[in-house]
């Protein structure tokens, strides 16, 4: 089961990063003309197979990863240029001399799309709960011995032995604890579907999900990265374009 999760995740990583790079193209602070600002920029993407669930604890297909990669950061993200480690939820990190302890520092001003602060509690929850119960994510935490959060901006991860995945390979999405932590684990690993709009840290959040028809994502007003090129993304199931605006 764990071997399957590793290869399933690796198989969609490049695709998810490519989508992220394609929709986040304008540099932060880029100026638009009045005519450009007045017109919504919408990217419409057709796909043959759509998302079956928005729940990362049970979703498994490539379309899921595309949506998740646009909704949530990792603790350490992958560069869209060469997949090297780059800032995610953590803005910096320090590795101990024995390489078994990594201390991450979070941006104290970071916010979720709903305005709540992003803190070390969110990281700990995500690593322990999604990393411990998510179908595709459990293999990433099997070497972790402890996760400490001495303050809101610090996360200390200790491992049994040196583990290169902790920086630039810990492929577990960071979820807002104040949303997902309110749901029993038995429900998360069952048929639970999050309320919309989803709460995220990435460039977009899901605002509409009509299965077998359309999944709509709108720009996250609290995204800390480069300004997304599009105001909205519509993933449309082939053959169901009628009535989609």
């Amino acid at each position: 089961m764990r071997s399957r999760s590793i290869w399933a995740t690796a198989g969609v990583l490049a695709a998810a990063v490519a989508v992220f790079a394609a929709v986040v193209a304008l540099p932060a602070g880029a100026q638009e003309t009045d005519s450009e600002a007045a017109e919504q920029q919408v990217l419409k993407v057709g796909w043959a197979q759509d998302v079956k669930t928005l729940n990362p604890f049970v979703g498994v297909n490539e379309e899921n990863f595309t949506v998740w990669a646009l909704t949530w950061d990792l603790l350490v993200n992958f560069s869209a240029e060469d997949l090297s480690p780059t800032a995610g939820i953590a803005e910096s990190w320090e590795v101990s001399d024995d390489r078994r302890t990594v201390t991450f520092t979070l941006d104290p001003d970071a916010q979720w799309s709903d305005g709540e602060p992003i803190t070390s509690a969110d990281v700990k929850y995500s690593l322990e709960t999604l990393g411990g119960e998510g179908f595709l994510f459990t293999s990433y935490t099997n070497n972790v011995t402890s996760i400490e959060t001495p303050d809101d901006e610090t996360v200390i991860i200790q491992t049994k032995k040196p583990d290169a995945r902790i920086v630039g390979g810990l492929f577990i999405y960071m979820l807002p604890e104040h949303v997902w932590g309110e749901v029993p684990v038995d429900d998360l690993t069952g048929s639970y579907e999050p309320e919309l709009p989803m709460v995220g840290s990435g460039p977009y959040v899901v605002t509409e999900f009509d299965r077998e028809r359309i999944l709509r994502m709108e720009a996250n007003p609290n995204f800390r990265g480069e300004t997304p090129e599009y105001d909205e993304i519509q993933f449309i199931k082939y053959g169901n374009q009628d009535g989609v605006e």
Side-chain angles (χ1 to χ4, degrees):
M1 186 72 70
R2 286 182 172 176
S3 177
R4 180 191 303 173
S5 71
I6 292 173
W7 288 109
T9 301
V12 298
L13 171 59
V17 171
V19 170
F20 185 95
V23 299
V24 184
L26 293 180
Q31 300 296 311
E32 294 179 334
T33 65
D34 291 341
S35 59
E36 289 174 330
E39 182 179 352
Q40 288 280 307
Q41 299 296 311
V42 179
L43 174 65
K44 296 185 179 182
V45 180
W47 53 16
Q49 177 176 314
D50 64 352
V51 169
K52 303 306 179 186
T53 175
L54 295 174
N55 182 351
F57 286 84
V58 297
V60 297
N61 62 17
E62 180 179 330
E63 288 75 18
N64 284 111
F65 275 88
T66 297
V67 173
W68 296 338
L70 294 172
T71 304
W72 298 303
D73 283 312
L74 303 172
L75 182 57
V76 177
N77 281 334
F78 295 90
S79 167
E81 296 181 359
D82 58 9
L83 299 184
S84 62
T86 189
I89 291 296
E91 62 178 4
S92 63
W93 48 87
E94 183 176 338
V95 181
S96 66
D97 290 341
D98 65 3
R99 297 181 296 156
R100 293 192 294 117
T101 302
V102 184
T103 301
F104 297 91
T105 301
L106 280 55
D107 180 353
D109 298 321
Q111 295 182 335
W112 295 104
S113 57
D114 64 356
E116 290 293 317
I118 299 174
T119 71
S120 58
D122 298 305
V123 175
K124 182 177 177 67
Y125 169 80
S126 301
L127 295 178
E128 291 181 344
T129 309
L130 182 59
E133 303 290 343
F135 180 75
L136 292 179
F137 303 101
T138 56
S139 62
Y140 293 96
T141 57
N142 54 14
N143 188 37
V144 174
T145 57
S146 69
I147 302 171
E148 300 175 10
T149 54
D151 56 56
D152 284 348
E153 287 83 48
T154 305
V155 177
I156 303 172
I157 298 178
Q158 295 184 325
T159 58
K160 301 172 188 175
K161 56 185 178 181
D163 191 339
R165 297 176 302 175
I166 302 302
V167 175
L170 195 59
F171 205 87
I172 299 173
Y173 292 106
M174 299 293 103
L175 306 178
E177 183 188 23
H178 68 281
V179 175
W180 295 83
E182 296 298 312
V183 183
V185 171
D186 285 347
D187 291 343
L188 293 175
T189 56
S191 59
Y192 173 75
E193 289 293 330
E195 294 183 2
L196 302 182
M198 288 178 67
V199 177
S201 58
Y204 294 90
V205 294
V206 179
T207 57
E208 179 184 358
F209 180 36
D210 187 351
R211 190 176 285 106
E212 299 292 333
R213 182 172 176 270
I214 183 174
L215 186 144
R216 189 188 311 270
M217 305 187 75
E218 298 180 15
N220 173 8
N222 293 325
F223 180 55
R224 295 168 294 124
E226 295 180 344
T227 304
E229 183 172 2
Y230 300 98
D231 301 295
E232 182 179 305
I233 303 175
Q234 298 176 4
F235 293 100
I236 304 167
K237 179 73 180 296
Y238 286 138
N240 287 318
Q241 294 90 342
D242 293 344
V244 176
E245 299 180 356

